[in-house]
């Protein structure tokens, strides 16, 4: 998309929020445009305006984590994810903590959180969480544990035989 399209979308989003300030989808649109243009302060302000009672609150918090990660604020991202994890006990939050560690090449810590996620999933990774096999496999490989890496990557391949990441 072009910068001109973003400008038009931004104008209309501001107008929509002026008329109806609680439009969460519009807030996400506007915050996303700001983040795309590296206007992180504005994006963070919008994401932080989404109420805890809003059904999209956790997603907004994940977007904040992504901005923190993009701006190399690892400690802030980790702190926010740990706060969210303590409050909502959501397996996706646990996986995001593992991903944050993995992205920062702290593979052993990543594996610890991926293992916690597997326990929360009942000890067996369901098909819709195939990605967990993949990221655990990467983390094991980077930790020089090829046997476990191979097992995880083969499990991911069994669930997603045509996925380009797994291939």
């Amino acid at each position: 998309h072009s910068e001109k399209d973003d400008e038009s979308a931004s104008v209309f989003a501001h107008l929509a929020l002026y008329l109806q300030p609680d439009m969460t989808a519009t807030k996400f649109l506007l915050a996303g445009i700001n983040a795309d243009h590296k206007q992180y302060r504005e994006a963070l302000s919008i994401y932080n305006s989404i109420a805890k009672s809003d059904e999209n609150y956790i997603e907004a918090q994940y977007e904040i984590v992504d901005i923190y990660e993009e701006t190399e604020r690892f400690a802030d991202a980790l702190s926010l994810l740990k706060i969210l994890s303590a409050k909502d006990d959501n397996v996706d939050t646990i996986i995001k903590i593992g991903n944050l560690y993995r992205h920062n090449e702290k593979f052993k810590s990543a594996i610890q959180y991926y293992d916690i996620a597997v326990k929360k999933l009942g000890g067996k990774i369901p098909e819709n969480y195939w990605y967990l096999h993949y990221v655990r496999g990467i983390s094991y490989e980077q930790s020089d544990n090829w046997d476990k890496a191979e097992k995880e990557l083969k499990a991911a391949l069994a669930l997603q035989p045509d996925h380009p990441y797994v291939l």
Side-chain angles (χ1 to χ4, degrees):
H1 62 268
S2 74
E3 195 168 316
K4 190 169 183 108
D5 292 338
D6 285 347
E7 286 178 28
S8 295
S10 182
V11 167
F12 288 119
H14 279 290
L15 180 59
L17 287 174
Y18 175 77
L19 296 171
Q20 193 170 351
D22 61 342
M23 293 177 62
T24 303
T26 304
K27 288 181 179 183
F28 270 87
L29 171 67
L30 190 55
I33 291 169
N34 283 316
D36 288 346
H37 291 279
K38 300 191 183 320
Q39 297 170 336
Y40 298 119
R41 187 176 308 148
E42 292 85 353
L44 289 170
S45 176
I46 295 167
Y47 286 130
N48 278 315
S49 75
I50 296 173
K52 288 181 181 180
S53 59
D54 190 299
E55 66 185 24
N56 297 297
Y57 173 76
I58 295 295
E59 187 59 38
Q61 297 302 295
Y62 289 167
E63 294 293 337
I64 291 169
V65 167
D66 290 346
I67 290 172
Y68 286 162
E69 192 170 3
E70 175 73 22
T71 57
E72 298 180 4
R73 293 172 60 183
F74 173 78
D76 291 333
L78 184 59
S79 176
L80 179 53
L81 285 171
K82 287 189 174 184
I83 289 167
L84 291 173
S85 175
K87 287 181 182 176
D88 71 4
D89 197 36
N90 184 329
V91 71
D92 294 324
T93 303
I94 299 297
I95 294 170
K96 283 189 82 61
I97 294 171
N99 289 344
L100 184 64
Y101 278 120
R102 182 174 51 84
H103 295 160
N104 285 275
E105 299 182 2
K106 298 173 189 283
F107 300 107
K108 290 184 178 170
S109 294
I111 292 166
Q112 289 175 336
Y113 278 90
Y114 295 146
D115 289 347
I116 292 168
V118 172
K119 286 179 188 167
K120 286 189 176 301
L121 291 168
K124 185 177 187 311
I125 299 174
E127 188 171 345
N128 61 322
Y129 278 94
W130 69 269
Y131 176 77
L132 190 50
H133 282 298
Y134 174 73
V135 293
R136 271 190 6 174
I138 291 171
S139 298
Y140 280 128
E141 186 271 330
Q142 291 294 310
S143 299
D144 295 323
N145 189 336
W146 179 246
D147 290 338
K148 287 187 177 182
E150 184 178 29
K151 179 183 173 195
E152 290 294 337
L153 293 171
K154 282 183 175 180
L157 186 62
L159 294 173
Q160 293 290 322
D162 297 322
H163 197 285
Y165 289 165
V166 178
L167 294 173

